[in-house]
Amino acid sequence: MMRKTLLALALFGNVLATQAGDGIFLILRQQDGTETSLSAAQRLKLTFADGQLVADNGGERVEFALAGLETMRFAEVPAGIGHVAADAQRAVYYDLSGRRVECPESGLYIVKEGDVARKVLKR
C-alpha cells in the first residue's frame, strides 16, 4: 500500500515539499528493518524519480529504493542514530552454496559490502 501511495505521488507531482517545525524528523523504515531519520527543521524536499525517493533537507541528501521502503512518518524524536553517511554499499548476504539470501536468519553467511567479502555467523 505504501509503495502505491508513493508511486501515485510521483506520478501526480514528481516533487513533494513540506515545511516542518523545529525538532521534527522524517523517519523512513526499510523492509529489512533499518530506520533512517532526517531532520525536517528546515525545508525538506522529497523527490520521486526512476523508482527512487530522494530526500534533501538542504544539508543532507539521501536516496532510497521505493521497492525497499516500508513506511514513512514524521516524529518529534529521531529513530536511533539516524543516517550515517558512508561510502559503504548495502550488504548482500549469500549462503555457503553461493545463493543470495534476502532475510538472513541464524546461520553462517558470506556478506559482501562493496569490494569486501567476509564470513558472518548470525545468532
Side-chain angles (χ1 to χ4, degrees):
M1 181 66 182
M2 184 65 177
R3 280 185 241 143
K4 288 181 183 177
T5 303
L6 290 174
L7 290 174
L9 287 171
L11 291 173
F12 292 111
N14 203 22
V15 174
L16 171 68
T18 183
Q19 183 76 30
D22 291 338
I24 301 294
F25 296 88
L26 172 63
I27 300 174
L28 301 154
R29 181 179 175 87
Q30 296 178 329
Q31 290 178 348
D32 65 4
T34 59
E35 289 188 336
T36 302
S37 300
L38 294 169
S39 173
Q42 301 297 322
R43 186 169 175 84
L44 178 64
K45 180 179 176 184
L46 302 177
T47 307
F48 302 88
D50 299 325
Q52 296 283 323
L53 162 65
V54 180
D56 188 348
N57 64 2
E60 183 175 18
R61 183 175 191 265
V62 184
E63 295 185 20
F64 297 93
L66 289 176
L69 192 60
E70 186 175 293
T71 60
M72 277 179 20
R73 64 184 168 88
F74 285 98
E76 293 183 13
V77 178
I81 295 174
H83 180 72
V84 178
D87 292 337
Q89 297 176 355
R90 183 175 175 181
V92 180
Y93 289 80
Y94 298 92
D95 65 13
L96 295 180
S97 298
R99 295 178 298 224
R100 189 175 179 152
V101 178
E102 292 300 322
C103 298
E105 296 177 4
S106 61
L108 186 60
Y109 296 95
I110 299 168
V111 180
K112 185 174 183 212
E113 295 177 286
D115 294 336
V116 178
R118 57 191 169 87
K119 287 185 259 181
V120 173
L121 177 63
K122 288 195 78 156
R123 296 178 187 224

